Amino acid sequence: MVNTKVTLSGITLDNPVIPASGTFGYGYEFAEYYDINMLGSFSFKGTTREPRFGNPTPRIAECTGGLINSVGLQNPGIEKVISEELPKMREVFHKPVIANISGFSVDEYVYCCEKINKEDQVGIIEVNVSCPNVHHGGMSFGTSPEAAAEVTRAVKAVTSKPVYIKLSPNVTDIASIAKACEEAGADGISLINTLMGMRIDLKTAKPAIANTMGGFSGSAIFPVAVRMVYQVYEAVKIPVIGMGGVSSAEDVLEMMLAGATAVQVGAANLVEPFACKNIIEDLPRVMKKYGITDLNDIIGGAHK
Amino acid sequence: MVNTKVTLSGITLDNPVIPASGTFGYGYEFAEYYDINMLGSFSFKGTTREPRFGNPTPRIAECTGGLINSVGLQNPGIEKVISEELPKMREVFHKPVIANISGFSVDEYVYCCEKINKEDQVGIIEVNVSCPNVHHGGMSFGTSPEAAAEVTRAVKAVTSKPVYIKLSPNVTDIASIAKACEEAGADGISLINTLMGMRIDLKTAKPAIANTMGGFSGSAIFPVAVRMVYQVYEAVKIPVIGMGGVSSAEDVLEMMLAGATAVQVGAANLVEPFACKNIIEDLPRVMKKYGITDLNDIIGGAHK
Amino acid sequence: MKQSLFTIRKNESLTSTVFRMVLEGETSAVTGAGQFLNIKLDGLFLRRPLSICDYDENTITILYKVVGKGTEVMSEMAPSVSLDILTGLGNGYDTTKSGDRPLLIGGGVGVPPMYRLAKNLINEGKKPIVILGFNTKDEAFYVEEFESLGVEVIVATADGTLGTKGFVTDIVKSLSNYTYFYTCGPEPMLKALSDCTTTSGQLSFEERMGCGFGACMGCSCETKYGNKRICKDGPVLEKEEIIW
Amino acid sequence: MKQSLFTIRKNESLTSTVFRMVLEGETSAVTGAGQFLNIKLDGLFLRRPLSICDYDENTITILYKVVGKGTEVMSEMAPSVSLDILTGLGNGYDTTKSGDRPLLIGGGVGVPPMYRLAKNLINEGKKPIVILGFNTKDEAFYVEEFESLGVEVIVATADGTLGTKGFVTDIVKSLSNYTYFYTCGPEPMLKALSDCTTTSGQLSFEERMGCGFGACMGCSCETKYGNKRICKDGPVLEKEEIIW
Ligand SMILES: Cc1cc2nc3c(=O)[nH]c(=O)nc-3n(C[C@H](O)[C@H](O)[C@H](O)COP(=O)(O)OP(=O)(O)OC[C@H]3O[C@@H](n4cnc5c(N)ncnc54)[C@H](O)[C@@H]3O)c2cc1C
Ligand SMILES: Cc1cc2nc3c(=O)[nH]c(=O)nc-3n(C[C@H](O)[C@H](O)[C@H](O)COP(=O)(O)OP(=O)(O)OC[C@H]3O[C@@H](n4cnc5c(N)ncnc54)[C@H](O)[C@@H]3O)c2cc1C
Ligand SMILES: Cc1cc2nc3c(=O)[nH]c(=O)nc-3n(C[C@H](O)[C@H](O)[C@H](O)COP(=O)(O)O)c2cc1C
Ligand SMILES: Cc1cc2nc3c(=O)[nH]c(=O)nc-3n(C[C@H](O)[C@H](O)[C@H](O)COP(=O)(O)O)c2cc1C
Ligand code: FES
Ligand code: FES
């Protein structure tokens, strides 16, 4: 028997595999196909204060080993998420979920986190700081240590649940941003969000995405994600949730060796609806292959 | 007949296809296999003041759609490049070459550029600012607009040839760095260098690369490269040489639509020794397919 | 939605760019005309969505046009190759609203779903009129197949090389005794049909898809009834809800 | 170096993890024993370098051990599949220095290049002694093939289940009348051989490769004669130049 249980801020997960926000809806889409209670947890679609349709279509473009999306945080807004989506989620998923919160101002983050903090279904609040800061020139909160720390502090002041800051990889120095969040009170770090990418349609000579650019993810970005998880693990003491291109049980082990306590799976869910199920079922075999009996033994193992 | 000729700072290339530095040696390795005079130009292996063996091996790791390298600028040093490599190059390549210069201090860049400036074989000096700045905490020159501008200014002061600054993609704001280089007198911008990446070997639980991390390139990084070329084209007026994951004639067109006047091919040469030859031979067919008669018409075409 | 392996039984060209592929496998998830499947192809990250043209207990027929990398690879596949496919995607057409004499209008690669729809309507005792639009005779396909269903088939080509010269809308405008319409084809055609039809109807849309089964919000559109995902709440929308 | 397509003619297991593949194609670029080829596999970015075990005018034989993704895919390939391969890579062994009685020492997957080398030396009228080292009997391969060349073959296994119990170095230490040595195998074995041999010799190295033909400097090593690329200036180095 192998042990796949890991613990994030006091919450024990049966396994480290967590579908990433925006690629698993509110869970019930997948619950039609398999019992999603086998998951460690899942991070639901990014939630904002107001309902959002998101960006114009086309919002999807294919790349080698991945895709670009510019969904633009389509969601029904925090009130409806709480009144309609959470009850539906509760029917199909009986473990603590991760609430992914986005915002375009510090106030918006605070507003949403305060609301979601009251929901006992929510185990962890994952604060996505990749969105543009409308009050400060549109650069994302996640691109400066100060802005990321500011969001962290503000959110921590209104929540009692563990707060994980989800970082953008489109930065010069990811470690300093993670460190700033830790110092501001973050309970953990989630990374990476999508790399900014772009494709051009040769037939039209126009950007393939209506919004010009979008977020690039999928197996192509895995080496960047592993590198950043490794760097952040060196920089902070709080737990790291690693993601970016994970699509196999081997990838889960590699992320954990880099320093992740748990691992999220994003784009892989879209093209392989049973990706998380397959990964979880394959984990014990792959652990045995590499002589691992307890996943906790390998967290950060590549730093030794 | 289609026109594939493009012009970089007064130097007309028969076609925009240029093997990227570090993936084409000094040309003669490839000249054994085909007549490399069909190339637009080529950028030879990064040159430093002193001879360098580079990093310990393993220096190569495989990734989905690409590889990580940590060659670490192995080269015989500027004197030997001039006394031994350039004469050998001249025998197999009769067009102006691009001299790729690296350094760990402003002095080193200046030293090498001053030397190489005297060589009439060299058409363009490509200054790689991705190397760590040993005098300023090890962050690369390419990660700050000020440091990149400083190198640019210093190098421009000692050269009469066009100077292209080759930027690192591992930054928050590529456009501001490109702009700083333009203002400091750069004649053009080359981008992107490799993304910093990492893989871990599950069998040993250690980094797959002896040096822990390395530069990730290949088709996987193409969407990031296209995005950055697009952003830099908007920010500057000087020509852009686009690269990162280019491996087909279609990719060349996409880079040019994003804003590149010429395009470099790196990792593809390593796994497909005839990659550049194939791309050049395929260009007219693909141009016709998309109704392009003159490549100059599409430079920056996606910005309209 | 179901994920399973299908084996190619036939893969033949109908025109210089349109192919018919017959796939054998588990078809239980397919519930009606107008649904689509999503095919995984080696080396390509995203699956390729294609309408179901027809199906029975163990085969599915698709008709596809070669327009890019994926369809090009498909056109070169030999029988007996197996493919990983998601089936049972999309809402499909609702035949209960059709009335007695529905119009079925297919334009170009919008033709395929009309075939099974025509069959279903005939089975329900209705008398569909099928209108097929193509650019030119050489690009026309499946005309005989529709005719052998025993329905009235009207063909329009833009250049007049087959059937009436003109667009499907010209034909629709000349008809009056239809009870409803169903259509699939390029968006400008859908818009024109929405404008020129005198009855209600259902229109099938295309959008770039991340997943094809409702998970990513990649394919959303705004309708009068709220935001919808083309892949899950569509691809078939009702004329009344569409915001052009 | 030559790039061309080869067709798999045979692909069979020799042990539970080691396979022999016979490839048919243009072999003119192969110039000697100890060279390698570099195989492109679908879906994997880097080519896979493998030593040439034997070759003739139109076939190349390789022996490979399944250790990861690429070799696993290879082990499942059926005859008639074609592969994009670079041939004629690497310097190969120099047989002119061998003297009359060279030792040929292969350890594990270092065994393959010794086969052609033995053949060449025999053709040159020399009397090679072949020493093959394996962990255990079940992992041994090609012993009979070497024997049928008519050379003296000594086998060592770490657990003594075949031949002598012990390492190839134990055998080498017990021999004295050899004139030179050639070897290929795991690096610790190469080092041990370099230490315990009393003559000059040539050792073949492995390194992670970006290109395999000298372009990237991915595989460099420092030698007493300067920096060398394992892929182009090697994989065979002389005992005297190696810096351990
Ligand atoms: C619900 C639905 C049903 C469809 N039914 C059919 C059909 O029956 N027959 C047919 O020939 N075509 C149909 N299409 C269009 C078909 O999906 C595309 O032609 C196909 O995906 C092109 O793939 P490619 O790799 O050849 O082209 P590429 O241009 O190389 O594809 C690149 C990316 O764009 C996507 N893409 C390209 N064109 C379209 C498009 N028109 N709609 C959505 N995504 C696209 C591809 O799926 C892929 O992700 C349908 C599309 C949808 C959404
Ligand atoms: C010159 C040379 C000759 C070789 N000859 C043989 C031979 O005759 N028979 C044989 O079984 N093996 C041989 N090898 C080793 C063989 O190249 C590797 O076992 C093989 O590349 C593993 O590929 P994989 O995809 O199965 O493993 P993976 O571990 O999935 O490969 C990942 C990456 O690491 C590289 N890699 C893994 N192991 C090695 C290695 N030992 N040396 C170099 N690169 C490696 C792969 O090429 C690939 O790029 C040789 C290696 C070299 C350099
Ligand atoms: C379609 C799509 C939608 C996404 N939406 C969100 C979101 O709402 N909030 C968020 O924090 N991340 C979002 N992401 C980012 C993912 O959660 C994840 O961080 C990223 O995709 C990297 O992982 P991957 O390579 O496994 O996809 C989205 C990603 C995709 C592909
Ligand atoms: C093996 C290797 C060595 C490289 N060496 C250099 C170098 O010496 N100087 C430099 O500016 N860039 C170097 N690069 C970066 C490439 O020139 C190019 O910018 C990068 O690889 C992106 O292009 P690609 O995706 O086509 O490989 C090297 C890349 C590789 C793969
Ligand atoms: S394509 Fe993912 S929701 Fe429709
Ligand atoms: S592997 Fe590229 S130089 Fe040897």
Side-chain angles (χ1 to χ4, degrees):
Chain A
M1 271 298 293
V2 293
N3 179 35
T4 60
K5 285 196 165 61
V6 295
T7 303
L8 289 174
S9 306
I11 300 166
T12 297
L13 313 180
D14 289 332
N15 62 66
V17 180
I18 302 173
S21 179
T23 65
F24 210 72
Y26 298 102
Y28 45 80
E29 291 84 356
F30 287 82
E32 291 175 30
Y33 314 132
Y34 68 92
D35 183 358
I36 63 171
N37 286 294
M38 73 187 298
L39 300 168
S41 177
F42 81 87
S43 177
F44 61 74
K45 178 67 199 164
T47 303
T48 53
R49 183 160 48 192
E50 313 300 334
R52 285 174 59 87
F53 170 69
N55 293 322
T57 55
R59 299 175 173 185
I60 301 285
E62 189 175 51
C63 307
T64 300
L67 80 162
I68 294 173
N69 89 81
S70 75
V71 168
L73 294 169
Q74 180 179 345
N75 81 94
I78 184 81
E79 327 293 343
K80 273 216 174 134
V81 165
I82 291 174
S83 64
E84 292 180 11
E85 302 297 348
L86 284 184
K88 283 200 263 178
M89 264 186 259
R90 193 191 292 274
E91 279 169 36
V92 294
F93 191 67
H94 312 128
K95 302 176 174 179
V97 294
I98 300 181
N100 185 278
I101 302 295
S102 282
F104 299 86
S105 67
V106 175
D107 283 356
E108 184 174 356
Y109 282 111
V110 167
Y111 181 88
C112 293
C113 290
E114 203 166 0
K115 290 255 167 189
I116 211 79
N117 187 50
K118 303 199 184 86
E119 302 302 316
D120 57 335
Q121 252 172 292
V122 172
I124 289 175
I125 301 177
E126 182 174 62
V127 178
N128 169 16
V129 292
S130 306
C131 331
N133 177 346
V134 291
H135 293 151
H136 285 280
M139 283 295 269
S140 103
F141 288 98
T143 56
S144 103
E146 296 74 27
E150 189 190 348
V151 173
T152 309
R153 253 189 313 272
V155 158
K156 276 298 287 181
V158 296
T159 56
S160 52
K161 295 186 195 290
V163 170
Y164 280 54
I165 307 296
K166 182 164 174 184
L167 302 185
S168 162
N170 302 297
V171 298
T172 308
D173 184 3
I174 192 89
S176 71
I177 296 169
K179 244 182 129 63
C181 294
E182 180 182 41
E183 282 160 12
D187 299 284
I189 302 287
S190 279
L191 81 167
I192 59 174
N193 213 311
T194 52
L195 282 170
M196 217 200 299
M198 174 172 181
R199 294 301 308 272
I200 296 164
D201 186 335
L202 296 182
K203 287 179 195 156
T204 61
K206 294 260 162 300
I209 293 276
N211 217 25
T212 309
M213 294 167 197
F216 173 36
S217 74
S219 34
I221 72 167
F222 185 66
V224 176
V226 170
R227 184 261 293 183
M228 291 193 163
V229 167
Y230 187 93
Q231 290 177 315
V232 167
Y233 180 86
E234 298 234 307
V236 302
K237 294 204 174 53
I238 51 181
V240 172
I241 304 180
M243 78 197 80
V246 173
S247 57
S248 68
E250 283 86 353
D251 294 346
V252 170
L253 298 188
E254 194 166 333
M255 273 291 179
M256 294 186 76
L257 285 167
T261 300
V263 173
Q264 293 187 8
V265 178
N269 294 309
L270 306 183
V271 289
E272 206 52 76
F274 297 97
C276 288
K277 179 171 187 282
N278 295 342
I279 291 172
I280 292 167
E281 288 173 350
D282 201 25
L283 252 183
R285 180 190 70 79
V286 179
M287 287 172 66
K288 272 179 217 141
K289 179 171 170 189
Y290 293 105
I292 302 162
T293 50
D294 186 338
L295 280 183
N296 294 283
D297 296 342
I298 69 164
I299 298 167
H303 294 262
K304 278 162 210 158
Chain B
M1 271 301 291
V2 294
N3 178 34
T4 60
K5 286 196 164 59
V6 295
T7 303
L8 289 173
S9 306
I11 300 167
T12 297
L13 314 181
D14 289 332
N15 61 67
V17 181
I18 303 172
S21 178
T23 65
F24 210 72
Y26 298 103
Y28 46 81
E29 292 83 354
F30 287 82
E32 292 176 29
Y33 314 133
Y34 68 93
D35 182 359
I36 64 170
N37 287 293
M38 73 187 298
L39 301 169
S41 177
F42 82 86
S43 176
F44 62 75
K45 178 67 198 165
T47 303
T48 53
R49 182 161 47 192
E50 312 301 333
R52 286 175 59 86
F53 171 69
N55 293 321
T57 55
R59 298 175 173 186
I60 300 286
E62 188 176 50
C63 306
T64 300
L67 81 162
I68 294 172
N69 89 80
S70 74
V71 168
L73 295 169
Q74 180 179 343
N75 80 94
I78 184 78
E79 326 294 343
K80 273 220 173 130
V81 166
I82 290 173
S83 64
E84 292 179 11
E85 302 297 349
L86 285 184
K88 282 200 262 178
M89 263 185 259
R90 193 191 292 273
E91 279 169 38
V92 293
F93 191 66
H94 312 129
K95 302 177 175 181
V97 295
I98 300 181
N100 186 279
I101 301 295
S102 283
F104 300 87
S105 67
V106 175
D107 283 355
E108 185 173 356
Y109 284 110
V110 167
Y111 182 87
C112 293
C113 289
E114 205 167 357
K115 290 254 167 193
I116 211 80
N117 187 51
K118 304 201 184 87
E119 301 303 315
D120 57 334
Q121 252 173 295
V122 172
I124 289 176
I125 301 177
E126 182 175 61
V127 178
N128 169 16
V129 291
S130 306
C131 330
N133 177 345
V134 291
H135 294 150
H136 284 280
M139 286 294 268
S140 101
F141 288 97
T143 57
S144 103
E146 295 74 29
E150 189 190 346
V151 173
T152 308
R153 251 188 315 270
V155 158
K156 276 296 288 180
V158 296
T159 56
S160 52
K161 295 187 194 289
V163 171
Y164 281 54
I165 308 295
K166 180 163 174 184
L167 301 185
S168 161
N170 303 297
V171 298
T172 308
D173 184 4
I174 193 88
S176 69
I177 296 168
K179 243 182 130 62
C181 294
E182 182 182 41
E183 282 159 13
D187 299 282
I189 302 288
S190 278
L191 81 168
I192 60 176
N193 213 311
T194 52
L195 282 169
M196 215 200 300
M198 173 174 182
R199 294 300 308 272
I200 297 165
D201 185 336
L202 295 182
K203 287 180 195 155
T204 60
K206 295 261 164 300
I209 293 277
N211 216 25
T212 309
M213 293 167 198
F216 174 36
S217 73
S219 34
I221 72 167
F222 185 65
V224 175
V226 171
R227 184 260 294 182
M228 291 191 163
V229 167
Y230 187 94
Q231 290 177 316
V232 167
Y233 180 85
E234 298 235 308
V236 302
K237 294 203 175 54
I238 50 181
V240 172
I241 303 181
M243 77 197 81
V246 173
S247 57
S248 68
E250 283 86 352
D251 294 346
V252 170
L253 298 188
E254 195 166 333
M255 272 294 178
M256 295 186 74
L257 284 167
T261 299
V263 173
Q264 292 187 9
V265 177
N269 294 312
L270 307 183
V271 289
E272 206 53 75
F274 297 96
C276 288
K277 178 171 189 283
N278 295 341
I279 291 172
I280 292 167
E281 289 173 348
D282 202 25
L283 253 183
R285 181 191 67 80
V286 178
M287 287 172 67
K288 272 178 216 139
K289 179 171 169 189
Y290 294 106
I292 302 161
T293 50
D294 185 340
L295 279 182
N296 294 283
D297 296 342
I298 70 164
I299 298 167
H303 293 261
K304 278 162 207 158
Chain C
M1 197 268 297
K2 197 176 170 71
Q3 176 175 30
S4 56
L5 285 181
F6 281 74
T7 308
I8 300 177
R9 286 302 169 213
K10 267 193 211 166
N11 193 20
E12 57 200 4
S13 64
L14 301 179
T15 74
S16 65
T17 56
V18 176
F19 288 71
R20 165 166 51 195
M21 188 181 272
V22 180
L23 294 155
E24 189 176 322
E26 170 62 50
T27 65
S28 61
V30 184
T31 58
Q35 284 193 314
F36 65 96
L37 40 72
N38 216 355
I39 307 186
K40 177 82 192 129
L41 298 167
D42 277 356
L44 296 177
F45 194 78
L46 296 176
R47 290 171 182 265
R48 295 306 191 256
L50 292 162
S51 299
I52 288 176
C53 171
D54 200 6
Y55 67 100
D56 60 25
E57 305 77 48
N58 50 15
T59 68
I60 294 179
T61 301
I62 55 175
L63 311 184
Y64 63 94
K65 183 170 177 175
V66 174
V67 299
K69 279 170 300 190
T71 46
E72 198 171 307
V73 168
M74 283 176 64
S75 71
E76 287 156 7
M77 287 181 163
S80 90
V81 166
S82 59
L83 290 170
D84 168 351
I85 299 182
L86 305 181
T87 51
L89 303 176
N91 55 0
Y93 295 104
D94 178 355
T95 57
T96 63
K97 304 192 174 168
S98 72
D100 266 4
R101 261 191 100 58
L103 289 185
L104 274 57
I105 310 140
V109 289
V111 166
M114 295 299 131
Y115 184 72
R116 177 62 187 220
L117 179 60
K119 270 183 147 181
N120 287 359
L121 290 164
I122 293 166
N123 276 344
E124 294 172 10
K126 294 154 186 173
K127 297 215 158 3
I129 305 171
V130 174
I131 306 171
L132 305 177
F134 303 101
N135 286 319
T136 182
K137 187 182 172 190
D138 289 348
E139 295 182 8
F141 58 91
Y142 251 55
V143 177
E144 282 167 33
E145 282 81 353
F146 276 97
E147 284 169 348
S148 49
L149 296 177
V151 288
E152 188 181 345
V153 181
I154 311 173
V155 177
T157 51
D159 65 356
T161 45
L162 190 71
T164 318
K165 181 176 159 85
F167 299 108
V168 292
T169 42
D170 300 328
I171 295 170
V172 171
K173 282 179 204 157
S174 72
L175 300 173
S176 56
N177 59 341
Y178 57 92
T179 53
Y180 198 75
F181 76 98
Y182 297 97
T183 182
C184 182
E187 208 167 300
M189 180 188 101
L190 301 186
K191 167 90 174 78
L193 283 171
S194 172
D195 290 345
C196 79
T197 46
T198 53
T199 66
S200 285
Q202 292 170 30
L203 302 86
S204 180
F205 284 79
E206 285 187 357
E207 192 44 82
R208 306 280 151 155
M209 291 185 176
C211 65
F213 54 91
C216 73
M217 310 280 155
C219 63
S220 297
C221 69
E222 292 178 279
T223 76
K224 294 184 187 144
Y225 310 161
N227 299 336
K228 291 204 167 182
R229 295 159 299 182
I230 294 292
C231 71
K232 179 107 178 177
D233 312 311
V236 177
L237 300 180
E238 308 230 332
K239 177 175 163 179
E240 287 68 29
E241 66 182 311
I242 300 162
I243 303 171
W244 291 104
Chain D
M1 197 265 303
K2 196 176 172 68
Q3 177 176 29
S4 56
L5 285 182
F6 281 74
T7 308
I8 300 178
R9 286 300 168 216
K10 266 195 210 165
N11 191 19
E12 58 201 1
S13 65
L14 301 179
T15 74
S16 64
T17 55
V18 175
F19 288 70
R20 164 166 51 195
M21 188 181 272
V22 180
L23 293 155
E24 188 175 322
E26 170 62 50
T27 65
S28 61
V30 183
T31 57
Q35 284 194 313
F36 65 97
L37 40 72
N38 216 354
I39 306 185
K40 176 84 191 128
L41 298 168
D42 276 357
L44 296 177
F45 194 79
L46 296 176
R47 289 172 183 265
R48 296 305 191 257
L50 292 162
S51 300
I52 288 175
C53 171
D54 200 6
Y55 66 101
D56 60 25
E57 303 77 48
N58 50 14
T59 68
I60 294 178
T61 301
I62 55 174
L63 311 183
Y64 63 94
K65 183 170 178 175
V66 174
V67 299
K69 279 169 300 189
T71 46
E72 198 171 306
V73 167
M74 283 176 63
S75 71
E76 288 155 7
M77 287 180 164
S80 91
V81 166
S82 58
L83 292 170
D84 168 350
I85 300 181
L86 305 181
T87 51
L89 304 176
N91 54 359
Y93 294 104
D94 178 354
T95 57
T96 61
K97 306 192 175 172
S98 71
D100 266 4
R101 260 189 101 59
L103 288 186
L104 275 56
I105 311 142
V109 290
V111 166
M114 295 301 130
Y115 184 71
R116 177 62 188 221
L117 179 60
K119 271 184 148 180
N120 287 358
L121 290 164
I122 293 165
N123 276 345
E124 294 172 12
K126 294 153 185 174
K127 297 217 158 3
I129 305 171
V130 175
I131 306 171
L132 304 177
F134 303 101
N135 287 319
T136 182
K137 186 182 174 189
D138 290 347
E139 295 181 8
F141 58 91
Y142 252 55
V143 178
E144 282 168 34
E145 282 81 354
F146 276 97
E147 283 168 350
S148 49
L149 295 178
V151 288
E152 186 181 344
V153 181
I154 310 173
V155 177
T157 52
D159 65 357
T161 46
L162 189 71
T164 317
K165 182 176 157 85
F167 299 108
V168 291
T169 42
D170 299 329
I171 294 171
V172 171
K173 283 179 206 158
S174 73
L175 300 173
S176 56
N177 60 340
Y178 58 91
T179 52
Y180 199 73
F181 76 99
Y182 297 97
T183 182
C184 181
E187 206 167 303
M189 180 188 102
L190 300 187
K191 167 90 173 81
L193 283 171
S194 172
D195 290 345
C196 79
T197 45
T198 52
T199 65
S200 286
Q202 292 170 30
L203 302 87
S204 179
F205 285 79
E206 286 188 356
E207 192 45 80
R208 305 280 151 155
M209 291 186 176
C211 65
F213 55 89
C216 74
M217 311 279 153
C219 63
S220 297
C221 69
E222 292 178 277
T223 77
K224 292 182 190 146
Y225 310 160
N227 299 336
K228 292 206 167 181
R229 295 159 299 181
I230 295 293
C231 71
K232 179 108 179 175
D233 312 311
V236 176
L237 300 181
E238 308 230 333
K239 178 176 163 179
E240 288 68 29
E241 66 182 312
I242 299 163
I243 303 172
W244 291 103

